[in-house]
Amino acid sequence: MKKNCKKVAFCLFCLIIIDMKEITLTFETKTLKVEQGRTAMSVLESIMEEFAPKLNEIMAVRVNNEIRPLAGRLNVNAALEPVFANTRDGAAIYRRSLCFLLAAASHAIFPGVRLLVGHSLDYGYYYTVEKDTPLTESEIAALKAKMLEFVDSDMEISRQYLSFADAVALLERLNLTETRKMLNYNCPPQVRVNTLGDFSDLYFGPLVFKTGVLKVFDLLPYHKGFLLRYPRACEPDKLPHFEDVPKLFNIYSEYKEWGKRLGVTSSASLNQLIHDGRTDDFIDITETLQDKRISQIADMIHERAEAKVVLIAGPSSSGKTTTSKKLALQLQSIGYQPKVISLDNYYVGRDENPLDENGKPDYECLEALDVGLLNENLIDLFDGKTVEIPSYDFAAGKRFYAGNTMKLADEDILIMEGIHGLNDKLTPRIPKEKKFKIYLSALTQLNLDDHNRIPTSDNRLIRRIVRDYNFRGKSASDTISMWDNVQKGERKHIFPFQGNADAMLNTALDYELGVLKVYATPLLQCVSPFQREYAEARRLLEFLRYFSPIPSNYVPKHSIIREFIGGSAFTY
């Protein structure tokens, strides 16, 4: 009987060998035949010899325009492309892997104690540890030493699938509270986990293959916690100088405390609130808080008697247009007669727009605006003259005049919004005392769970995808394709000036991703694997999967969210 079993087993083994298939991999002009099931790393190591000196710089691999981990197996014919650390996608994988490395180190140093990720601050993520006493510098040093120990050991970060029940048990054992709760509203039959040593966690994107590549980082003590500092994509081998922005951190801290008081600090707790039928109340509270903050800024402007123009700036899709209109209402309630001008009206036009280093139109640079005409109009307005204000046709790419005139009376105040509002080169002919500057940031205090943060840039990108489709005739792939240039412009033209603001406003609404999901999901699903934007679309779809949908009829007509989904009480 045993002999027959051995024969059967041997025959099955032979069938497996005979049935093993080959797949075709394409890299640039090369076509390769390899066995089905090979890992991407093994292909790079053994076949693509030109990458041997650069293997430590490869964070992942594009497989048919989907970003996959190097440990992932290749099972279908595919076009391959390495993802290097000095690219946007590679830098994101590096940062995500650093977060996992820190979580594993925290588990080793503080077993059973919750490590909580916060918002980003100048190439760093703010972290706290949920313990009775504040972290000491020696404890932070111990965390860093453990991370370096993992790096020096060059340990493999493994990936495996667990049953739902096993994943729940694992997360409960590791005291990953919010991650465990998140599974209540996203119940897959199998759960993918990443493991380093005796620590496991969920991360919603590829991680690096081994810890040895994560050499560039630092832990900087900051307030009640510390910053996990990481390199920029353009310089992956060194850390940039730290530039603190205390005003921005204070706003984040204030909103984080507010979220704790309401018991809504993660996607899981937001989903719980939705499932409990408390959506209306929560939306009312979040909108009321934002209106209150705008009212407080109006009072600050009133205290500055000489201010004649309010300049509102912020990155793309931070809600500048709606904020300017809501601020106008608040100012009107205390005796002003506000007039609103959008800096978009002063674009020079597609034919005159400057080009970037790649020969593409750079719509984010200051030179894309007619600064001379703007300053001439402002001076005339402050002198009591009547000025014809230009308009801009985004579809045609041209500036035009539609007979819109403006004149400022003594009680009038001008509101201007646009990405360059805080840059004094925009208004060089206007005295400083006449300007009041406001910086906007869509800084959500929510996390996905304990260790997975919600990037402000993701929130804004999803807003813009929805708005561009609804009002500018662009597909999701169109918006994604230009996002790198948008962010590049923000880093150059907006973020360096945020510390100069007289006031800052957080425009994120903690319920908004549930609303935007309804609009963004079908748009992202239309991005094809033939398109380079496919990887980003799939990442955003995975991200949105962890939010329960909220119908748009819950959104108030005056909400900033209406700027993106439509149906606003304001005219844009």
Side-chain angles (χ1 to χ4, degrees):
M1 185 68 181
K2 288 183 180 179
K3 196 171 185 180
N4 289 336
C5 288
K6 288 180 180 179
K7 285 183 179 180
V8 171
F10 177 75
C11 290
L12 288 173
F13 176 76
C14 290
L15 286 171
I16 291 170
I17 296 297
I18 292 170
D19 196 45
M20 183 174 289
K21 297 179 180 178
E22 282 189 331
I23 57 173
T24 301
L25 303 179
T26 304
F27 170 72
E28 292 183 347
T29 59
K30 287 186 178 181
T31 300
L32 312 167
K33 294 280 188 180
V34 302
E35 301 89 351
Q36 186 182 47
R38 289 276 296 275
T39 66
M41 175 60 87
S42 71
V43 170
L44 293 179
E45 286 177 331
S46 64
I47 300 177
M48 299 182 182
E49 296 179 359
E50 63 266 39
F51 289 125
K54 295 185 175 181
L55 280 177
N56 283 342
E57 300 173 19
I58 299 175
M59 302 291 103
V61 63
R62 277 181 175 265
V63 182
N64 293 332
N65 276 323
E66 180 184 12
I67 296 180
R68 303 273 302 280
L70 292 173
R73 299 193 177 277
L74 304 173
N75 292 311
V76 298
N77 297 338
L80 296 184
E81 180 186 344
V83 178
F84 288 97
N86 64 351
T87 64
R88 176 178 176 271
D89 293 322
I93 294 166
Y94 189 93
R95 295 193 299 267
R96 190 183 306 124
S97 303
L98 269 184
C99 293
F100 179 61
L101 184 72
L102 171 61
S106 180
H107 170 71
I109 301 296
F110 306 113
V113 177
R114 293 177 68 199
L115 173 74
L116 304 176
V117 68
H119 78 306
S120 62
L121 187 68
D122 190 56
Y123 299 102
Y125 298 142
Y126 179 64
Y127 278 87
T128 55
V129 173
E130 199 173 70
K131 55 195 290 286
D132 294 336
T133 56
L135 278 175
T136 64
E137 290 194 14
S138 61
E139 288 174 324
I140 295 172
L143 274 175
K144 181 178 177 180
K146 177 56 70 173
M147 293 175 71
L148 290 171
E149 180 184 322
F150 287 149
V151 172
D152 292 340
S153 300
D154 197 21
M155 300 171 66
E156 182 176 340
I157 298 175
S158 64
R159 220 173 50 137
Q160 59 181 318
Y161 285 85
L162 302 180
S163 70
F164 187 85
D166 288 343
V168 166
L170 173 67
L171 297 174
E172 289 178 349
R173 177 173 60 81
L174 293 171
N175 197 30
L176 297 176
T177 308
E178 294 300 314
T179 311
R180 162 65 188 93
K181 284 167 57 179
M182 187 169 56
L183 291 182
N184 290 337
Y185 307 98
N186 181 36
C187 305
Q190 296 180 331
V191 180
R192 186 182 66 213
V193 300
N194 301 102
T195 300
L196 178 64
D198 64 349
F199 177 74
S200 297
D201 203 354
L202 275 62
Y203 280 82
F204 311 106
L207 302 181
V208 298
F209 184 57
K210 287 190 173 183
T211 58
V213 303
L214 303 173
K215 298 181 184 297
V216 183
F217 72 91
D218 195 14
L219 300 187
L220 177 68
Y222 191 82
H223 286 258
K224 297 179 181 179
F226 60 90
L227 293 173
L228 170 61
R229 304 212 62 234
Y230 50 79
R232 297 183 293 184
C234 60
E235 295 179 305
D237 296 327
K238 67 178 184 178
L239 293 176
H241 175 71
F242 175 58
E243 297 285 347
D244 199 0
V245 189
K247 290 180 184 177
L248 200 61
F249 179 81
N250 290 338
I251 288 177
Y252 163 77
S253 299
E254 177 184 321
Y255 273 82
K256 198 68 178 177
E257 288 302 315
W258 174 82
K260 287 179 181 177
R261 289 196 297 272
L262 292 182
V264 182
T265 59
S266 68
S267 64
S269 51
L270 176 62
N271 292 341
Q272 179 69 58
L273 180 146
I274 294 169
H275 284 238
D276 290 346
R278 295 184 287 133
T279 307
D280 266 336
D281 289 344
F282 185 67
I283 288 176
D284 287 344
I285 292 169
T286 55
E287 293 283 354
T288 300
L289 175 64
Q290 192 169 92
D291 288 343
K292 179 181 178 181
R293 295 292 181 259
I294 295 173
S295 174
Q296 290 171 340
I297 291 174
D299 291 338
M300 293 172 64
I301 294 168
H302 182 60
E303 292 171 3
R304 293 265 298 271
E306 294 180 325
K308 291 297 292 180
V309 57
V310 178
L311 296 158
I312 301 176
S316 175
S317 299
S318 55
K320 296 181 289 293
T321 304
T322 303
T323 299
S324 67
K325 294 179 180 297
K326 297 183 86 166
L327 179 63
L329 291 176
Q330 294 290 347
L331 288 169
Q332 193 170 1
S333 73
I334 55 176
Y336 289 92
Q337 292 299 319
K339 303 288 180 67
V340 178
I341 295 180
S342 172
L343 287 177
D344 288 354
N345 294 339
Y346 288 86
Y347 275 124
V348 295
R350 192 175 297 155
D351 293 339
E352 300 179 41
N353 202 90
L355 304 179
D356 63 17
E357 64 274 14
N358 299 315
K360 296 182 179 180
D362 184 358
Y363 297 111
E364 311 299 325
C365 68
L366 181 63
E367 292 73 20
L369 299 173
D370 192 336
V371 173
L373 176 63
L374 171 66
N375 280 261
E376 182 181 329
N377 285 172
L378 290 178
I379 291 172
D380 286 345
L381 286 169
F382 296 155
D383 287 343
K385 297 178 182 179
T386 299
V387 172
E388 186 174 9
I389 304 298
S391 300
Y392 190 79
D393 185 336
F394 280 95
K398 293 182 179 180
R399 189 170 63 203
F400 67 97
Y401 287 89
N404 298 321
T405 61
M406 182 178 292
K407 183 177 181 179
L408 296 183
D410 290 342
E411 70 276 11
D412 291 344
I413 189 167
L414 188 62
I415 298 176
M416 297 179 57
E417 56 89 4
I419 63 174
H420 297 287
L422 302 187
N423 186 350
D424 282 327
K425 290 182 179 180
L426 176 73
T427 53
R429 299 174 63 186
I430 309 304
K432 181 179 179 180
E433 62 271 13
K434 289 185 178 291
K435 296 182 281 191
F436 188 96
K437 301 174 184 176
I438 304 172
Y439 177 73
L440 308 185
S441 180
L443 189 68
T444 179
Q445 60 89 18
L446 290 180
N447 289 335
L448 283 178
D449 59 15
D450 289 341
H451 301 155
N452 286 274
R453 54 185 294 276
I454 297 176
T456 297
S457 59
D458 281 358
N459 201 12
R460 292 189 292 108
L461 174 55
I462 292 168
R463 281 180 172 186
R464 181 153 178 169
I465 286 171
V466 173
R467 184 197 67 187
D468 283 1
Y469 176 80
N470 285 334
F471 304 111
R472 297 186 179 179
K474 294 182 181 293
S475 67
S477 60
D478 290 335
T479 302
I480 293 171
S481 68
M482 64 184 293
W483 191 241
D484 276 352
N485 282 336
V486 170
Q487 290 191 294
K488 180 180 177 181
E490 292 167 353
R491 289 190 294 269
K492 184 177 181 181
H493 304 297
I494 301 175
F495 298 149
F497 305 101
Q498 60 187 343
N500 298 329
D502 297 297
M504 290 188 174
L505 176 71
N506 181 13
T507 65
L509 294 161
D510 286 342
Y511 72 89
E512 69 177 88
L513 285 168
V515 177
L516 294 171
K517 171 181 181 172
V518 178
Y519 292 84
T521 297
L523 303 179
L524 292 167
Q525 287 172 333
C526 289
V527 182
S528 162
F530 293 123
Q531 296 174 290
R532 185 152 187 90
E533 297 78 26
Y534 182 71
E536 183 72 348
R538 300 308 299 177
R539 185 186 70 82
L540 292 174
L541 282 169
E542 174 73 6
F543 167 66
L544 289 171
R545 195 159 62 92
Y546 294 93
F547 291 87
S548 296
I550 298 176
S552 61
N553 59 288
Y554 282 89
V555 182
K557 296 298 182 181
H558 287 83
S559 174
I560 279 178
I561 306 308
R562 290 287 177 185
E563 182 177 330
F564 308 99
I565 67 173
S568 177
F570 297 115
T571 301
Y572 296 101

